[in-house]
Amino acid sequence: DPSSSEAVIWTRATNTVAASPLALIAQVAPDDPTLTTGVVTFDVSTDPARDYTAKLVLSNLLAGTRYYYRFVNASNPAHASIVGTFKTAPHANAAAPVRFAFGGDADGLMRPYALASIFPSLGLDFFVFDGNTVYETASAFSGAAALTGTIPSPSSSGATQLQLFNDYSRKNREQFIAVNSGGQKCLQPLFAAQGNYTLLNNHELGDR
């Protein structure tokens, strides 16, 4: 979710040897999808307490500029993520054309989301994901998340916080892995194709 000078980039990576943090290097460059010129690197590691995700806030970016990034395994650089891209917002007083799209409701019943595969070709300045980024209901190869119970917090009639964390982590994780081996990794090409402003709706909250 970029501003004119900052952006958040993130990934998920697991250590296949041990359930421990994984050291990564984030590579970031303006205007170069090959990441060979003007590259700046950042050390970051995955967090087992956050489902092995790693998040980095980039700052001091140029306004109205397209950046490219990827994450590389620090101990084995041959293992790297796909290249993602985002464009920073223009200066607040700048007159600039804007190309964006919006949508929502990624029900797991529709995985692997064939429409997501076209996003890299759209050249969007940003995408607004206006909610229901996951559904808590059952779909093919994926059971339903536990019921949340009494609002605003879990109770004896609903799931524990640990159950909810595990179930919703699973539901979110499924949105970025292939249904079939070698297939499209669901929403991965969409999220990597531009900056995204992501909102919440009822299904991220147990349909409550």
Side-chain angles (χ1 to χ4, degrees):
D1 42 355
S3 69
S4 59
S5 61
E6 292 187 336
V8 177
I9 59 174
W10 70 275
T11 192
R12 179 179 186 272
T14 55
N15 187 335
T16 58
V17 178
S20 60
L22 186 65
L24 304 173
I25 298 172
Q27 301 174 333
V28 183
D31 301 318
D32 182 10
T34 66
L35 289 165
T36 55
T37 59
V39 178
V40 179
T41 61
F42 304 88
D43 295 328
V44 64
S45 63
T46 61
D47 185 350
R50 297 179 181 272
D51 199 31
Y52 299 95
T53 56
K55 183 176 77 171
L56 184 66
V57 180
L58 305 175
S59 57
N60 299 316
L61 301 176
L62 301 173
T65 302
R66 182 162 294 282
Y67 285 84
Y68 296 87
Y69 66 94
R70 68 182 165 206
F71 292 87
V72 176
N73 186 326
S75 62
N76 189 350
H79 291 181
S81 71
I82 64 172
V83 175
T85 184
F86 63 87
K87 186 177 181 181
T88 52
H91 287 296
N93 60 353
V98 176
R99 180 179 174 85
F100 71 98
F102 62 91
D105 291 275
D107 188 339
L109 291 171
M110 298 182 286
R111 291 173 66 221
Y113 312 110
L115 184 62
S117 67
I118 73 166
F119 274 74
S121 67
L122 296 181
L124 299 178
D125 292 311
F126 63 88
F127 176 74
V128 178
F129 205 137
D130 59 5
N132 295 335
T133 57
V134 298
Y135 272 54
E136 81 289 359
T137 49
S139 59
F141 314 112
S142 177
L147 295 177
T148 51
T150 305
I151 300 303
S153 61
S155 70
S156 59
S157 63
T160 65
Q161 290 185 351
L162 180 60
Q163 284 176 307
L164 294 175
F165 177 83
N166 288 338
D167 282 354
Y168 280 84
S169 293
R170 170 174 57 86
K171 286 292 188 180
N172 278 279
R173 191 163 53 245
E174 289 168 355
Q175 300 290 53
F176 297 92
I177 59 177
V179 176
N180 300 306
S181 179
Q184 176 183 310
K185 294 185 177 180
C186 293
L187 295 178
Q188 186 196 55
L190 183 156
F191 274 94
Q194 68 281 308
N196 304 281
Y197 301 100
T198 304
L199 312 178
L200 301 180
N201 208 321
N202 58 314
H203 288 289
E204 291 94 341
L205 305 174
D207 200 21
R208 299 294 192 270

